[in-house]
Amino acid sequence: MTGYRRQLYRDDAVVLRVQKLGESDRIITLLTRRHGRLRAVARGVRRTTSKFGARLEPFGHVDVQLAGDPKGNTGSSLHSVSQVEGIDLYGKRFLGDYPRYTAASAIAETAERLTPVEREPSLRLFQLTLGALKSLARGEHATTLVLDAYLLRGMALAGWAPALTACAVCGTPGRHRAFSVPAGGAVCPDCRPPGAAHPAPATVELMSALTTGDWVLADATDTGVRRECSGLVAAHLQWHLERALRSLPLVDRGNPAPGGGAQDVSRERAE
Ligand SMILES: [Zn+2]
């Protein structure tokens, strides 16, 4: 077999991003179940007869038929969408709901950043992303809890989850009171670097609960604990990403000022 052959293949996927390409075409960024993250051209989505348009909106779970080389060995990296069926178009449910829309945007952007290499399968990240959007759509838990659980578990998949049950530096087990993003999470008194934060014990418990899926504990927390948790999670995530996430500061967390959450955690608690 020589030369470039376009093959047709099917997969199900989450639509992470939709970008304009000329008047009527779109470039769709998909996180697929079996083929990792990839970008594909959808032609003619603006035409009124197109069935693509509504199905290829951000945050939808879709079944797609793609044309291109699924292994990516040959020249063009851009695939094209030849068919698409909606499985569950979650994006529709976030329209007009700013907190959920911005949380979904942060989830989609994070999924893209956690898959730097195209077409590298990551079934667990796919399942995590789909599960988070499904949970947001159902409104089972507070929006910020769903987002922070997603970010914590995504970081765990990437190998940089914050240490919560042992010192990030020396490994001494226990619930340590100090938390340092540069050190990697909770730190014992011996290892605590200058400038470490001292979050409420309930905040670190919430981070653990979100990581392990203890929703009974997470759902019972109050706003202050959730806000402090969000600040620590965001700071930890930003520390590990080369560029800051665009969508995360837009997430409506009920803060008086945008970005206030991350600053709260650097202040010493008066306890
Ligand atoms: Zn230590």
Side-chain angles (χ1 to χ4, degrees):
M1 191 170 76
T2 56
Y4 174 55
R5 276 181 43 183
R6 285 174 84 77
Q7 306 166 22
L8 287 176
Y9 63 102
R10 290 194 87 86
D11 206 342
D12 68 315
V14 171
V15 179
L16 297 181
R17 192 146 61 113
V18 178
Q19 294 159 282
K20 278 190 80 168
L21 179 68
E23 268 309 297
S24 63
D25 301 342
R26 296 287 181 272
I27 293 179
I28 316 291
T29 303
L30 297 166
L31 182 63
T32 68
R33 184 182 295 271
R34 288 178 289 116
H35 300 89
R37 179 179 59 80
L38 54 87
R39 298 190 312 144
V41 179
R43 304 257 176 227
V45 295
R46 283 282 304 280
R47 289 201 309 268
T48 50
T49 52
S50 169
K51 291 173 181 171
F52 283 5
R55 297 172 188 173
L56 288 173
E57 289 295 319
F59 320 130
H61 182 204
V62 294
D63 189 85
V64 282
Q65 187 179 66
L66 296 154
D69 176 2
K71 297 243 169 35
N73 298 327
T74 45
S76 170
S77 71
L78 215 51
H79 295 198
S80 60
V81 179
S82 59
Q83 279 178 33
V84 58
E85 298 293 336
I87 298 171
D88 211 331
L89 303 176
Y90 300 119
K92 281 193 295 194
R93 307 200 216 163
F94 306 144
L95 292 175
D97 184 334
Y98 186 72
R100 284 203 290 171
Y101 180 84
T102 51
S105 301
I107 287 168
E109 190 184 355
T110 303
E112 207 171 332
R113 300 289 285 280
L114 293 177
T115 51
V117 181
E118 285 200 19
R119 287 188 291 274
E120 195 170 82
S122 178
L123 178 61
R124 290 174 71 194
L125 186 69
F126 170 79
Q127 290 169 329
L128 185 68
T129 305
L130 180 59
L133 293 171
K134 194 178 286 184
S135 181
L136 269 189
R138 288 180 181 161
E140 294 166 323
H141 308 286
T143 298
T144 57
L145 292 181
V146 174
L147 173 60
D148 288 336
Y150 177 79
L151 299 176
L152 282 163
R153 293 181 202 181
M155 287 193 279
L157 290 181
W160 22 271
L164 298 171
T165 57
C167 172
V169 178
C170 71
T172 301
R175 292 269 188 220
H176 303 296
R177 291 295 318 275
F179 192 99
S180 165
V181 167
V187 280
C188 75
D190 292 339
C191 300
R192 185 181 60 207
H198 289 79
T203 299
V204 181
E205 272 171 33
L206 174 57
M207 292 172 79
S208 286
L210 293 174
T211 305
T212 58
D214 183 350
W215 286 101
V216 174
L217 191 152
D219 287 339
T221 52
D222 64 37
T223 313
V225 167
R226 290 178 187 182
R227 197 171 296 170
E228 192 171 55
C229 171
S230 292
L232 286 176
V233 170
H236 200 86
L237 180 69
Q238 304 285 22
W239 177 263
H240 287 276
L241 293 175
E242 264 180 41
R243 287 171 291 119
L245 287 175
R246 281 173 295 113
S247 52
L248 202 54
L250 302 176
V251 173
D252 187 346
R253 301 181 188 279
N255 286 337
Q263 281 144 31
D264 289 344
V265 295
S266 60
R267 273 205 305 271
E268 290 272 330
R269 291 191 147 247
E271 277 180 22

